[in-house]
Structures are given as C-alpha cells and as structure tokens.
Amino acid sequence: GEAMTMIRHLTAQMLQCHSCYVGLDYYFLRQGGLQRLVWPWDAAPAIEALGRLGYDDYMEDIFHYYFDLRLKSDGELDNIGEFWACNTACALYSLTTRCMQTGDHSFWQRYRDKAFLAFDWICRKRAEAQDGNGEYAGLFPSLRGCDWDHTFQAWGTTDLWNLFGIEALAKAAEHFDDPRAADVRKEYDDYFAAMKRLLQPYGEEAKVTGLLRLPLCPDGNDKALLEDFHPYLVHGVFVWSGLVDDGDIEKVYRWQVAHGMAKNGLHGHMPYRDGNTHIWYTSYTDYYWFRTRLRRGERSIARQIIQAQVDYAMTPEYYMAERFCDNDPYFVPWSPNCSASGRLMNMLLDFCKEE
C-alpha cells in the first residue's frame, strides 16, 4: 500500500545521499540537496534505517569513512562539514547501534579500539568543564552545538547526543562482554546524573506552573540566544532520553503548545533570522516525540506525528524536506534529504513493527 510506496521512495533518497565524488576513492553519507558535506547528527537516523533494511555494504562504506579516514589520533572525529561538538558522539552512536543491529562480533572487534578512542576523547573533553563563569561541571564545555555560531553549554544537543553515544557504546560493550563495559556504564550513569541535577529546578518550577520549560542552556539564561533565533529543538530529545520524569512529559508538551512551538503533529517551530516566523523544522524533534509516544503506548498520537511528516514535509513525489513553511508550500529545501528520510523511515518501521 501507500506505506510501502513511501518506504521505496525514502530508501531511494537515502541511497542518493550515499555518494562518491569524482577523484575520491571512498563514499560518505551526505545530508542532502547538492551538498558535499556530512553532518553525523543528520546521518544517524539514515544509517540506522539503512541498516534495518539490510544495506550491509553501505554500512561498511560509512564506518570506514568515519573511523578509518576521519577519526583523529586523539579520538575526535575530524570536521567533515559544519563543526558540531557532538559529531564524535553521533558517529559513535551510529557505529555501536549498528553493532547491536547485527550482533556481529567480528564487526565489533574491527572497530572496538577506535570506538573507545572516541569514547575516551568525549570523557576528557567533558572533564574540562568546571563550575563557574556560566558553566557547569559534568557537561561538555561551551562549544558550538549546531550550525549557528553561538558558543555555550548546549545541553539539549551536545550533551544529550554524548549521552546517546555513550549509552549505545555501553550496551554494545556489555553485549560483547568487553572488559571496559563497566567503565562505560559508570561514565554514562555519572553523566546522566549530572544532567538530571541541572534539570531538577525546572521540574520544581513545573509543579507550580504545570508547564515544564527546557531551556537551551542549563542556567536558563537563553533569552539572548532565542532573540538571535537559535534553533529551539530540545524538547523531544529530552523526553526520549529518560531525563524527564514520566509524569512530567505532558508538562513539556503543554509548554510547547502554550508557546506556539507545537501544533498539528509538529513540534519544531523555528523562526528565522530574517523575521520569517512561518518555518518549522520537521522530523527531528517530531521523531523523538514519536518514539516517546510509542514507548508510552500512545499509538494514536504517534500516528498523528507520522501523518504530520507526510502532510507537511513530503512532496507529492515523496521527497522529504527538512523544513515546512506554513505560508509557502513550495519551500522544500535540501532534497533529497538524508535525515528527514531516515527519521520517517524509522517511524514507519517502528509503527509497523508494533502492529
């Protein structure tokens, strides 16, 4: 039916992004359009989706590029597009999620040492942050968290993706009985606890207001960032991470609705610096709200989120866009789009699996 037609088209679009340019002897998973850049944050859902679909040869290309060609000697992933502080963790997440998809011990052994090289870099970098001067120990230091140039402790992007990467490594290390498994789990638990402590005041505030605010930075002083139109896409990732208590999840959603950031199955209102307030970032925070709703057994809400991607982020030709403009239906930038195709693919696979 229609779902299978979508799956075929989404697969084709992700494969279009798996590119080898003239003069190169390797492939990489670029983000979309005519760009020749890789965002590991954007590539992660497409890697996961292609792996679920059985494109094993493509997985070999992707991880050879990340860990054989782009991993520096200190364990940091070399900049291969825009620098994001979470690039290394995103690549680590993709690798170790793939290890758990296959259960292939030889694949784990092939990349095991480089995975721990990346892990150790994340741990060292995290240890650099100290309390004071607007920073908190236990998180990554102030670095660029996304394409915007702001430098701050971007806990809703950098630190959450560090957590995802470390947790995925912990699961893989435990699965393969690695001698460092306990070290990774300890680091994850400590990191999670640091985030939870910083989140606590906002949970206390929500007991009074009934709305749970999740600011862009842990001290809550994000007014200047928002006035400079920094993307505010942290909510779905926070609720999926487990940091938000289950009883507070609806408070997060109500806060988004009350502030015009969620409606009609979309959760990522994204005003632009040029004053355009009609833009929505599709698929990303929606994807993690979808996964949260499915985890909670709220299938009808999860289905509405899938439908919103189809209604607002998909062209009649099944191309996925990274944005939706609610006053311009022809605004469909960066297509074919690797990340949006991957996220919707995973949503469809997850929903059908549940059925």
Side-chain angles (χ1 to χ4, degrees):
E2 183 78 356
M4 284 306 302
T5 301
M6 285 186 203
I7 285 173
R8 285 195 295 271
H9 282 270
L10 294 171
T11 302
Q13 291 168 54
M14 288 187 286
L15 295 179
Q16 282 181 295
C17 292
H18 186 263
S19 304
C20 177
Y21 287 95
V22 174
L24 302 181
D25 60 355
Y26 55 84
Y27 289 81
F28 53 84
L29 194 61
R30 62 192 182 84
Q31 166 56 359
L34 298 176
Q35 296 163 336
R36 299 189 178 197
L37 304 177
V38 179
W39 281 260
W41 179 86
D42 282 307
I47 294 170
E48 190 169 349
L50 288 172
R52 295 173 75 175
L53 294 168
Y55 286 90
D56 297 343
D57 291 345
Y58 291 81
M59 299 295 101
E60 292 291 327
D61 292 336
I62 289 164
F63 295 119
H64 170 63
Y65 179 67
Y66 276 169
F67 289 92
D68 295 331
L69 301 181
R70 305 305 299 183
L71 195 70
K72 297 192 290 188
S73 60
D74 65 353
E76 183 183 13
L77 194 71
D78 201 7
N79 187 24
I80 49 185
E82 294 285 345
F83 171 79
W84 293 30
C86 67
N87 279 348
T88 303
C90 292
L92 181 63
Y93 170 86
S94 292
L95 174 70
T96 47
T97 298
R98 177 61 180 168
C99 288
M100 293 300 289
Q101 276 182 343
T102 65
D104 184 345
H105 189 265
S106 64
F107 183 77
W108 164 255
Q109 284 297 115
R110 176 180 169 186
Y111 286 109
R112 182 258 181 205
D113 289 349
K114 290 180 178 179
F116 278 106
L117 192 65
F119 167 71
D120 289 335
W121 178 83
I122 293 169
C123 294
R124 290 195 306 272
K125 182 59 68 173
R126 176 181 172 234
E128 291 179 9
Q130 301 296 322
D131 288 326
N133 297 319
E135 286 196 351
Y136 295 92
L139 306 188
F140 246 37
S142 294
L143 293 164
R144 185 181 178 192
C146 68
D147 287 353
W148 272 243
D149 290 330
H150 305 116
T151 299
F152 63 102
Q153 283 189 307
W155 68 335
T157 306
T158 302
D159 293 290
L160 282 178
W161 273 96
N162 285 345
L163 274 177
F164 292 162
I166 293 170
E167 182 183 29
L169 176 61
K171 290 177 179 178
E174 289 161 357
H175 178 78
F176 293 110
D177 295 320
D178 193 278
R180 291 197 64 188
D183 295 340
V184 185
R185 181 58 66 180
K186 181 180 179 181
E187 180 73 13
Y188 172 78
D189 289 343
D190 185 75
Y191 208 151
F192 187 94
M195 292 280 282
K196 189 76 172 175
R197 284 193 299 272
L198 291 169
L199 192 61
Q200 185 176 358
Y202 304 104
E204 293 298 318
E205 182 182 278
K207 291 179 181 178
V208 177
T209 64
L211 306 174
L212 178 49
R213 175 187 174 228
L214 299 172
L216 283 170
C217 44
D219 65 4
N221 296 322
D222 59 0
K223 182 180 179 182
L225 291 168
L226 294 172
E227 288 178 348
D228 201 25
F229 299 101
H230 188 92
Y232 198 3
L233 305 171
V234 304
H235 303 88
V237 203
F238 259 113
V239 298
W240 171 250
S241 71
L243 285 162
V244 176
D245 293 337
D246 199 56
D248 285 343
I249 287 175
E250 287 304 324
K251 295 178 184 177
V252 176
Y253 181 68
R254 289 201 296 269
W255 187 95
Q256 283 201 275
V257 171
H259 290 81
M261 296 194 64
K263 68 176 181 179
N264 299 331
L266 298 176
H267 304 77
H269 187 224
M270 186 179 176
Y272 269 34
R273 283 171 168 162
D274 62 5
N276 188 341
T277 62
H278 295 276
I279 306 293
W280 295 74
Y281 193 113
T282 51
S283 80
Y284 174 60
T285 193
D286 302 328
Y287 176 46
Y288 291 99
W289 272 111
F290 166 84
R291 296 182 77 177
T292 300
R293 297 302 189 184
L294 208 58
R295 180 178 66 191
R296 288 160 57 90
E298 298 165 345
R299 289 182 55 79
S300 62
I301 302 177
R303 189 184 186 99
Q304 290 170 12
I305 296 171
I306 292 178
Q307 192 62 50
Q309 309 311 302
V310 175
D311 290 346
Y312 303 119
M314 179 181 280
T315 74
E317 301 81 15
Y318 300 99
Y319 272 100
M320 289 298 293
E322 227 184 1
R323 304 286 192 276
F324 164 64
C325 185
D326 61 26
N327 70 344
D328 181 4
Y330 295 99
F331 183 70
V332 286
W334 305 300
S335 296
N337 192 270
C338 184
S339 59
S341 298
R343 292 180 192 121
L344 181 54
M345 176 70 81
N346 284 317
M347 289 189 224
L348 292 170
L349 294 175
D350 287 345
F351 199 83
C352 293
K353 179 182 177 182
E354 289 289 318
E355 287 189 336

